[in-house]
Amino acid sequence: MKRLSFSLIALLALLASILAACGQTPAAQPTAAPQPTTAPAPSTGDGMAITGTVTLWHAYGTGSAEEKAINMLIDRARAAYPDATINVLQIPFDQIFNKFNNEVSSGGGPDMFIAPNDSLGSQIRAGVLADLSEYQSKLTDVAPTGVAGMSLDGKLYGIPESFKAVALYYNKSKVANPPANTDELLALVKAGNTLVLNQNAYHNFGWLQAFGGQLMDASGKCIADQSGGAEWFAFLKALKEVPTVTFSTDGGQADSLFKDGKADMIINGPWVLGDYRAVLGDNLGVAPMPGAAKPAGPLTGVDGFYVSINSQNVAGAVALAMFLTSPESMKVYVDEAGHVPVSTKVEISDPLVQAFAQASATGVPRPQIPELDNYWGPFGDAMTKVLDGGADPAAAVAEACALMNTANGK
């Protein structure tokens, strides 16, 4: 896949998989041979059956809606394929990529894991993922952007599951109409509505595009200092100066403020939709991240199932991935965990999930080029200097861009 540029895209309609085949036993005739006493195990919908032993890692939070959803689906897979052995292990999200890389590099590790494509490019370059290109023809009902999110240089390295982009959660008992743009958001908090924001370079990334900027050009050179970047950081600084706005470096604390009713709004991803809904119920609302001159452009990632280069059962692992991304399985992910499906056969009736689909549609595809690795440190530090140290927004962005380009040799 060619390097991704930071232009606006509209993600195609959401997503894909495979209808399970079912057979009908013909009525017995006096001269017919005896019918088998057990029916063959159902396939994943494409002729693939889960066989052998497959070990899967995931990073869904303990007790979260996502963990409940995958446990439900694994139970279904075990029931459908009783001769297969499916092992599942939860790994904390902040550890799963390094742990997978280290164990696979040492000759071990699981057969597969599910995670966002945050580290796909670096993992491909590290040689820890199996090439799954031979299975791409089976992804007939997956949105092209889902396949692209699991690919690099024309090769497929994962079975796509869902799209991920942040949006604005709000408490409808406190906020009657969600802000459509940054001016309206600033007006709301100045009027007394409370907002908590995760203070990092990921959750707030979408406002760079909103103010007309982009992080890199096609060569991977940082150009955020040329347009949009100064306005982006200036807006964050303006929010920080409002007493009703809290910037938190602790994601758990930010979640608690929103769930406990101490914050009326928060920007977060669909991975917490089920948890927020359990607390706020019908008072929970979701809207795309407020835009400005342009729609906000949060980083849009793709979650998917990746297979280790060490796996001795690649076919079994891919079959499990196909089972877990079938339309029936995706419906569980959508209904139970609020995932935005990559399957074009799964309809979204939930307006909260639909809002995340809209957020993904204006998002920036997460680049898999190595230059992105040198974005997080400089821009995270710059954000801290502006919000906590009072640094000039334009100067902070210029310094961050220069540091990023120096690290990337640009």
Side-chain angles (χ1 to χ4, degrees):
M1 181 179 71
K2 295 182 179 179
R3 288 183 173 183
L4 295 172
S5 65
F6 268 56
S7 58
L8 276 174
I9 63 160
L11 294 175
L12 300 178
L14 312 161
L15 327 112
S17 272
I18 322 130
L19 294 173
C22 56
Q24 182 177 359
T25 304
Q29 300 295 326
T31 58
Q35 298 299 306
T37 56
T38 58
S43 76
T44 59
D46 49 21
M48 299 182 68
I50 305 170
T51 58
T53 298
V54 180
T55 299
L56 165 69
W57 286 1
H58 72 80
Y60 299 144
T62 301
S64 67
E66 288 187 310
E67 184 188 45
K68 293 175 183 177
I70 198 167
N71 285 343
M72 183 186 305
L73 294 174
I74 291 296
D75 286 343
R76 291 185 182 182
R78 286 169 175 157
Y81 299 94
D83 293 334
T85 300
I86 303 173
N87 302 313
V88 179
L89 181 64
Q90 178 202 47
I91 305 293
F93 182 76
D94 61 355
Q95 299 176 25
I96 192 166
F97 294 110
N98 285 337
K99 186 173 178 62
F100 180 86
N101 290 353
N102 291 339
E103 293 205 15
V104 172
S105 296
S106 301
D111 292 285
M112 61 191 298
F113 78 109
I114 180 172
N117 62 345
D118 293 8
S119 298
L120 178 62
S122 60
Q123 289 188 305
I124 293 170
R125 289 184 285 274
V128 296
L129 299 180
D131 181 352
L132 305 182
S133 299
E134 65 179 287
Y135 300 100
Q136 185 167 338
S137 61
K138 298 182 180 297
L139 304 180
T140 54
D141 300 310
V142 174
T145 44
V147 176
M150 295 284 100
S151 304
L152 189 65
D153 297 330
K155 295 182 179 180
L156 180 73
Y157 290 92
I159 305 300
E161 181 266 326
S162 63
F163 292 114
K164 293 285 178 71
V166 299
L168 179 75
Y169 287 96
Y170 63 99
N171 186 328
K172 291 194 287 187
S173 70
K174 306 287 186 64
V175 179
N177 298 302
N181 55 56
T182 53
D183 287 341
E184 291 182 9
L185 177 59
L186 198 57
L188 276 178
V189 295
K190 286 182 176 180
N193 281 115
T194 50
L195 167 71
V196 60
L197 292 172
N198 285 279
Q199 185 173 315
N200 59 50
Y202 170 73
H203 284 82
N204 299 294
F205 181 89
W207 279 315
L208 173 58
Q209 177 177 280
F211 288 105
Q214 64 183 65
L215 180 61
M216 296 183 288
D217 62 17
S219 73
K221 180 181 178 180
C222 179
I223 56 172
D225 57 339
Q226 296 180 16
S227 65
E231 293 82 358
W232 169 30
F233 272 31
F235 174 66
L236 294 178
K237 187 175 183 179
L239 286 174
K240 181 66 181 285
E241 293 171 352
V242 181
T244 56
V245 177
T246 299
F247 279 84
S248 176
T249 57
D250 183 335
Q253 178 197 52
D255 285 345
S256 295
L257 288 174
F258 183 68
K259 290 190 289 187
D260 294 345
K262 298 177 181 178
D264 304 335
M265 297 173 284
I266 187 174
I267 288 176
N268 215 337
W271 49 87
V272 290
L273 175 56
D275 303 327
Y276 286 180
R277 197 200 309 261
V279 177
L280 276 75
D282 292 339
N283 282 328
L284 182 64
V286 179
M289 194 174 181
K294 295 182 178 181
L299 279 177
T300 298
V302 179
D303 272 24
F305 293 91
Y306 313 91
V307 178
S308 166
I309 195 71
N310 295 336
S311 176
Q312 300 300 303
N313 188 14
V314 172
V318 173
L320 176 59
M322 299 296 284
F323 182 95
L324 296 174
T325 55
S326 69
E328 296 81 5
S329 294
M330 278 308 315
K331 194 73 169 64
V332 173
Y333 270 123
V334 172
D335 293 343
E336 300 295 328
H339 282 202
V340 178
V342 298
S343 170
T344 56
K345 289 189 174 181
V346 178
E347 294 185 2
I348 300 176
S349 57
D350 187 335
L352 304 186
V353 178
Q354 185 59 50
F356 278 108
Q358 294 170 4
S360 297
T362 64
V364 173
R366 190 184 186 102
Q368 298 304 329
I369 57 178
E371 285 84 355
L372 183 66
D373 294 344
N374 290 313
Y375 157 73
W376 307 105
F379 276 83
D381 292 343
M383 195 172 292
T384 299
K385 291 177 181 178
V386 170
L387 296 177
D388 297 337
D392 176 69
V397 171
E399 180 185 23
C401 242
L403 290 171
M404 181 177 171
N405 285 333
T406 297
N408 288 327
K410 301 294 182 181

